[in-house]
Amino acid sequence: MVLGIYGAGGLGREVYELALDVNAAKKQWDAFVFIDDAETLAGTEIYDVPVMPFASFQEKYGADAAEIAIAVGEPAIRTILRKKVKQGGYALAILVHPSTRLSRWAVLEEGAIITYGCNISCGTHVKTNAYLQPSCGLGHDTIVGEDSVVSACARIAGGVTVGERVYIGMSALLKEGVTVGNDVIIGMASVVHKPIDDSLIVMGNPARPMRKNEDNRVFGSSHKA
């Protein structure tokens, strides 16, 4: 089985290293390929791993021989790439670092990626293509919506519902039982005490709305998908 890592930037390199750690604990993949549609990267290598556009990947590896991990940190782009991959017939890989404390009663959907040092408690539900960065924690019965990103060292208390395409910044804290709408950005080190409506950018302690998330971008850069 081949693992295609969709995204050859910094996050892609981190996902590749995560996959190597997963393989060292229990081998799942025989080879790795970076997928990136930037023309300047076609035919290059990163850490001795080939980089190719998605069309070339499809020509070389059928859906029965490969699965794909989405390695882009922008939630809206994660959605675009997920749909593209699924339309191509590929499964999304689940990656969980061996150091993660994953409850036997946690549910991980297709494409969930959980990096090192995380604590995932009982009754949690990490939905399709959500990405959890290092040392973050999910309290009991928390839901993380599809294509969302939880940044390093964020802490989410029990019974929280995080919507789709949400970005939670580094070291943010979410109080138990709060609900976060879709397309929300929570600034780093913010403390969320109250529910957050859809499409808002919030920051501070306590977290307050700054403005609408009108362009649905965290990092303000485009990505060819």
Side-chain angles (χ1 to χ4, degrees):
M1 180 66 70
V2 173
L3 178 64
I5 300 170
Y6 210 143
L11 195 68
R13 288 181 280 127
E14 290 179 347
V15 170
Y16 174 51
E17 190 161 23
L18 166 62
L20 292 178
D21 290 343
V22 171
N23 244 17
K26 183 179 179 181
K27 188 172 182 180
Q28 297 188 38
W29 307 285
D30 301 307
F32 303 94
V33 175
F34 284 110
I35 304 169
D36 201 295
D37 299 312
E39 294 178 1
T40 55
L41 292 176
T44 64
E45 292 187 349
I46 297 175
Y47 301 150
D48 299 320
V49 175
V51 183
M52 62 183 67
F54 184 57
S56 299
F57 184 85
Q58 287 180 292
E59 291 174 1
K60 189 168 184 178
Y61 303 105
D64 58 340
E67 57 184 356
I68 294 176
I70 306 298
V72 173
E74 186 74 67
I77 301 300
R78 293 186 68 79
T79 300
I80 293 170
L81 296 182
R82 171 177 57 80
K83 291 178 179 179
K84 185 176 181 179
V85 164
K86 296 306 294 182
Q87 287 171 358
Y90 292 91
L92 292 171
I94 295 175
L95 283 77
V96 179
H97 195 276
S99 69
T100 286
R101 200 291 177 185
L102 180 66
S103 169
R104 57 182 56 81
W105 294 292
V107 175
L108 305 183
E109 291 188 8
E110 182 183 23
I113 298 177
I114 302 177
T115 55
Y116 65 86
C118 294
N119 181 41
I120 312 301
S121 189
C122 57
T124 51
H125 189 169
V126 181
K127 293 193 174 182
T128 302
N129 201 36
Y131 192 103
L132 275 60
Q133 293 189 330
S135 302
C136 65
L138 304 185
H140 64 83
D141 303 305
T142 283
I143 299 170
V144 177
E146 62 184 30
D147 306 313
S148 291
V149 175
V150 181
S151 294
C153 301
R155 292 289 188 270
I156 302 177
V160 171
T161 298
V162 175
E164 301 174 3
R165 300 172 302 279
V166 172
Y167 187 90
I168 298 175
M170 292 184 296
S171 300
L173 304 176
L174 278 67
K175 183 179 182 292
E176 68 274 2
V178 299
T179 299
V180 177
N182 300 328
D183 302 299
V184 166
I185 299 172
I186 299 173
M188 61 182 182
S190 295
V191 181
V192 177
H193 294 273
K194 296 180 179 180
I196 303 173
D197 292 336
D198 291 348
S199 302
L200 288 177
I201 299 173
V202 303
M203 298 178 66
N205 180 11
R208 297 181 177 88
M210 298 291 107
R211 60 181 175 86
K212 294 286 287 185
N213 182 20
E214 294 177 349
D215 56 2
N216 290 328
R217 290 291 186 272
V218 178
F219 302 107
S221 61
S222 62
H223 186 284
K224 187 177 180 181

